Amino acid sequence: MTGTPVTAPPGRMTRLADGVHAFVQPDGGWCLNNAGLITDGVHSVLVDTAATRERALHLRREALRLAPAPPRLLIATHFHGDHTFGNCVFPEATVVAQQRARDDILASGLHLTGLWPDVCWGDLDVVPPHLTYRDEATVHAGGIQVRLLHFGPAHTTGDTAVWLPEQRVLFTGDLVMSGVTPFCPMGSVSGSLAALDALRALDPRVVVPGHGPVGGPELFDVNEEYLRRLRRLAAQGLAVGATPLQTARRAGPGPFADLLDAERLVPNLHRAYAEERGAAAGVPLDIPALFAEMTRYHGGLPACRA
């Protein structure tokens, strides 16, 4: 497999409850994230955008098909460009995020585009959050209560889960993946497990993951099992003096071979190794070096289908 782009089909809105829709971009691999629209028929809130200008404009058209006006609030679940680059096509919206996400959006800029230069990203401007919160906040789409929850370093250091308590619908951002390998080198393995416990305690009916098909609470189980295996592999690798790359080559994806983007095992192991050695959750790692090592493990640049 190489990094040559093969554009995936556009995303589609799926109704989850009255006024609540998930925008799902199959198959959920690199840069094919999910988003969401919450509307009472007058006011609307958008959860995340999309990686390219073309995909974000398609999301805008889909949102306007279901709501009478553009969303006035846009929640960014974390800083990664596949979830935030499309902010620029929603100029009417106030962008809201956890405070660390704003710092990371400003620091990372359009760096993601350089990883896959052959992707048609379009004319993009970085739009950081206008409003930030620390631990928890509540916004409203008219009569629909929307809670923003931060659990500490997990997928990144500034993740937001979006919880609709009345509808029992949960937008997890990349705290949860569906049919896709979890990814935590910019956050924490232990923090991801703690976040999953907190999400499970909400008792959601519907779970919208950051990537992949919409599901229910069963999605938590697969993510948890993957992360627990990651910790076991890190402990075993350190015990025999193996590097993360050597451990990944020896272990392979194991029971998670059916998940997309299995090459993420390498950077994930680097995070697990760091924590096994006592590093604090979220302490920065050399992400460009980890991406390069992941590419060597994969045998080429992973495919981005955005």
Side-chain angles (χ1 to χ4, degrees), residues 121-171:
W121 298 99
D123 185 13
L124 298 170
D125 292 314
V126 174
V127 179
H130 307 99
L131 177 66
T132 63
Y133 75 98
R134 188 179 69 178
D135 299 317
E136 183 173 345
T138 302
V139 300
H140 297 85
I144 302 177
Q145 180 186 144
V146 183
R147 294 181 61 199
L148 282 56
L149 306 172
H150 172 66
F151 306 112
H155 173 63
T156 69
T157 59
D159 302 301
T160 292
V162 180
W163 170 232
L164 280 58
E166 182 177 346
Q167 293 78 12
R168 293 177 57 210
V169 174
L170 177 65
F171 294 87

Side-chain angles (χ1 to χ4, degrees), residues 181-185 188-189 223-237 247 256 264-273 276:
T181 303
F183 192 59
C184 59
S188 170
V189 180
N223 282 257
E224 179 180 355
E225 290 163 8
Y226 177 92
L227 293 165
R228 292 199 181 282
R229 177 180 187 255
L230 198 63
R231 291 210 300 196
R232 290 194 301 271
L233 290 177
Q236 292 165 7
T247 296
F256 303 98
R264 293 175 180 175
L265 177 61
V266 173
N268 285 339
L269 277 171
H270 274 274
R271 175 58 65 184
Y273 266 61
E276 190 71 19

Side-chain angles (χ1 to χ4, degrees), residues 173-249:
D174 287 0
L175 293 170
V176 177
M177 305 287 197
S178 175
V180 180
T181 303
F183 192 59
C184 59
M186 300 176 196
S188 170
V189 180
S190 60
S192 294
L193 286 165
L196 287 171
D197 286 342
L199 295 173
R200 188 180 280 111
L202 296 171
D203 191 26
R205 177 181 60 86
V206 178
V207 176
V208 183
H211 294 252
V214 173
E218 73 281 353
L219 297 183
F220 302 146
D221 299 336
V222 178
N223 282 257
E224 179 180 355
E225 290 163 8
Y226 177 92
L227 293 165
R228 292 199 181 282
R229 177 180 187 255
L230 198 63
R231 291 210 300 196
R232 290 194 301 271
L233 290 177
Q236 292 165 7
L238 282 168
V240 299
T243 67
L245 180 58
Q246 289 168 338
T247 296
R249 285 175 169 160

